[in-house]
Amino acid sequence: MNLAEVIDAPTAACPSRAALLIGDETWTYGDLGEAVAGGTARLTAEGVRPGQRVPVIAASSPLTLVAILAAARLGAAGAALNPQLTVDELGRLVELAGLAGLGVADSGHRDNLETALGARGTVLTEAELPDQGTGTPEPVGDGDDEALVLFTSGTTGLPKPVPMPHAVLTGRIRSWCGPFDASAPVAVRIMCVPMFHVGGLLGLLMSLYSGHTTVIQPRFDAGGWLDLVERHRVSAAFVVPTMLGRILDHPDFGRFDLGSLRALSYGAAPASPDLVARATEAMPHVAFSNVFGQTETLGAYTMLSPDDHRHPVRRTSVGRPLPGIQIRVVDQDSGEDAAPGAPGELWVMSDQNVVPGWLRTGDLARVDTDGYVFPVGRLSDTINRGGEKLGPIEVEEVLRAHPAVTDAAVAALPDADLGERVGAAVIVQGQVTIEALRAHCARHLARFKVPDTMVLVDSLPYDDLGKVRRRSLATMIAERSD
């Protein structure tokens, strides 16, 4: 199955059904099918060939989806880029990923992509991509052929291109969604995470494959999200924890009718136990699920079920492996399986891995006797303080447990004597001193885990997916402490 074929069944059977709602605009399945056909014709006319990687950069909009599906139908692979990247960053990714000289961009990002592609680059905008053509060609490419290229978040370095084959992508979609049934009730979902992220794009493709309707919020805003859920009677959503916190904290949260919302999943970054407790209490009718995964595993490989969200210990985990997925916890020093309950690097084996075999995820975690996974942090984020190693997450959780702390983030700071020391940036409410916060940490953490340097800040350097930019954080802590 070619990735572009995910929309074929609902487009043929229900062309007048709403596929996408964005602002005041409605895209039916018929509209989407025509746009993909027009995009395919235009890319053909521009000489796009099988095996090419076509850069695509736009705000979350139908243009991104149309370009990706059109390229996939021709045997090429759309490479979805983050619109917030600078020209220099885009240029490095163009070279790193071997992107073609022809790209697709919305009008707001055309100049940046043209500059990044160089003098011989050509960029098509939303006004130039469609073409009447002579009909939609049969899809080219399937199986192990590249269908899509996404990039890792790059929170600790340059984003890494992750090519995805047709078979893995379509297999993942079909494993989560039943075959299209025109007589089945239509669900309305909302997409408020970036479309260049696996959690946004894959969720959208699954919704389209099932013939459902997706409300697109191009840039998240808590008040706007609440209004869209109420207005369109949204039943399912995916958010990152920072979004969930802003939704709950919105001053008008209680005034909106969220009765249609039945399922809410969250992931991409850690969620504090306090946030989970607040969410389940505020929306008792909603089935919450925490999903944990990464781009290379096409999203989630573990899930915390709705029932586990009400368990005082299990809700601090990210759940257990999904069916068909094997995991190992490997000691980072010996390379052997870690002792039961001891932290180590997670290795994952599944059919949804974009590359066959065991994937070294770079995530540090421990697994309890019931198989629940408790993240410790990223391997690249590990702080080595004089030979004692720790993950930032466990320090952050202790800090957030203090009643005066609203948020906290931890990073390694260079140190001439110890190699690295522990730095923390903390957002507080009310009166509390750094000495009191350090004493709180000392009561709950081993001495080497207590922050050596702590600063009080008004905000933390999160990216659009709710992940802390550790390098920016370390710079912030160093500058504020000086």
Side-chain angles (χ1 to χ4, degrees):
M1 182 179 180
N2 183 286
L3 179 64
E5 294 178 283
V6 297
I7 66 168
D8 285 0
T11 298
C14 306
S16 61
R17 178 182 295 181
L20 307 172
L21 303 175
I22 179 166
D24 296 326
E25 191 177 9
T26 298
W27 281 57
T28 66
Y29 276 91
D31 295 333
L32 184 58
E34 289 179 8
V36 172
T40 304
R42 183 57 188 267
L43 292 182
T44 299
E46 294 290 339
V48 170
R49 303 182 305 277
Q52 285 186 320
R53 293 177 174 178
V54 179
V56 180
I57 183 168
S60 290
S61 72
L63 177 64
T64 301
L65 177 65
V66 168
I68 286 172
L69 294 181
R73 196 167 194 97
L74 294 174
L81 298 164
N82 185 343
Q84 296 189 73
L85 297 180
T86 65
V87 171
D88 288 344
E89 290 170 323
L90 289 172
R92 289 197 292 272
L93 291 186
V94 167
E95 183 177 355
L96 177 67
L99 304 185
L102 173 72
V104 178
D106 60 21
S107 54
H109 298 92
R110 177 178 188 167
D111 291 346
N112 280 1
L113 184 55
E114 279 189 338
T115 304
L117 290 175
R120 289 181 290 180
T122 301
V123 177
L124 304 175
T125 65
E126 55 267 47
E128 300 162 328
L129 181 63
D131 193 335
Q132 295 300 315
T134 57
T136 305
E138 287 298 313
V140 176
D142 57 17
D144 293 334
D145 298 327
E146 284 187 12
L148 175 68
V149 178
L150 295 181
F151 292 82
T152 58
S153 59
T155 52
T156 58
L158 192 67
K160 181 179 69 175
V162 180
M164 301 176 177
H166 288 276
V168 175
L169 271 169
T170 58
R172 173 73 154 150
I173 292 169
R174 289 186 288 188
S175 70
W176 279 71
C177 310
F180 172 70
D181 181 358
S183 64
V186 179
V188 181
R189 303 175 180 179
I190 187 169
M191 189 190 80
C192 57
V193 296
M195 204 180 289
F196 60 82
H197 179 251
V198 65
L201 184 57
L202 192 61
L204 175 59
L205 291 171
M206 289 178 178
S207 179
L208 293 171
Y209 179 72
S210 299
H212 296 312
T213 300
T214 300
V215 179
I216 297 177
Q217 187 182 32
R219 189 164 185 83
F220 175 76
D221 168 76
W225 188 92
L226 289 163
D227 176 66
L228 290 171
V229 170
E230 177 183 82
R231 180 152 39 105
H232 296 293
R233 310 309 297 157
V234 170
S235 61
F238 172 80
V239 297
V240 300
T242 51
M243 293 177 179
L244 181 56
R246 290 171 187 171
I247 290 166
L248 296 174
D249 291 337
H250 194 275
D252 295 328
F253 173 80
R255 300 180 186 177
F256 286 92
D257 177 7
L258 305 181
S260 62
L261 192 61
R262 294 300 176 205
L264 191 151
S265 59
Y266 60 94
S272 69
D274 175 66
L275 177 62
V276 175
R278 289 173 57 211
T280 53
E281 181 179 350
M283 294 180 276
H285 66 288
V286 175
F288 285 88
S289 59
N290 184 359
V291 292
F292 185 70
Q294 59 190 74
T295 306
E296 294 90 338
T297 61
L298 284 185
Y301 56 81
T302 74
M303 185 178 74
L304 185 72
S305 72
D307 288 342
D308 285 330
H309 273 74
R310 306 189 186 280
H311 190 283
V313 176
R314 290 174 178 171
R315 73 183 180 194
T316 64
S317 76
V318 291
R320 293 187 284 190
L322 292 164
I325 293 177
Q326 303 176 59
I327 65 170
R328 294 174 60 194
V329 180
V330 179
D331 183 88
Q332 54 186 310
D333 294 323
S334 69
E336 303 293 331
D337 286 352
E345 184 184 12
L346 280 174
W347 290 20
V348 176
M349 168 90 79
S350 79
D351 290 339
Q352 70 190 48
N353 288 6
V354 295
V355 177
W358 285 101
L359 171 71
R360 300 182 59 170
T361 67
D363 289 312
L364 291 172
R366 60 180 179 85
V367 179
D368 70 9
T369 55
D370 294 318
Y372 286 84
V373 177
F374 293 80
V376 176
R378 291 286 294 170
L379 187 61
S380 57
D381 295 337
T382 298
I383 303 170
N384 188 339
R385 187 186 187 278
E388 297 282 6
K389 298 177 182 178
L390 66 140
I393 289 178
E394 57 181 328
V395 184
E396 292 168 353
E397 288 179 347
V398 168
L399 282 167
R400 291 188 189 120
H402 191 285
V405 173
T406 59
D407 204 358
V410 172
L413 303 179
D415 185 83
D417 181 34
L418 298 172
E420 291 179 333
R421 53 192 168 91
V422 184
V426 187
I427 301 174
V428 301
Q429 56 183 358
Q431 298 296 318
V432 64
T433 65
I434 288 176
E435 290 74 17
L437 293 176
R438 188 174 285 115
H440 166 77
C441 291
R443 288 193 294 271
H444 300 280
L445 293 168
R447 184 177 60 83
F448 69 88
K449 299 178 183 179
V450 176
D452 300 282
T453 301
M454 190 182 300
V455 297
L456 303 182
V457 299
D458 296 324
S459 62
L460 295 171
Y462 285 112
D463 65 12
D464 279 349
L465 301 177
K467 297 181 180 180
V468 175
R469 296 186 180 276
R470 300 284 176 189
R471 291 185 178 181
S472 299
L473 175 65
T475 301
M476 170 191 287
I477 296 170
E479 290 176 348
R480 298 292 177 89
S481 64
D482 289 342

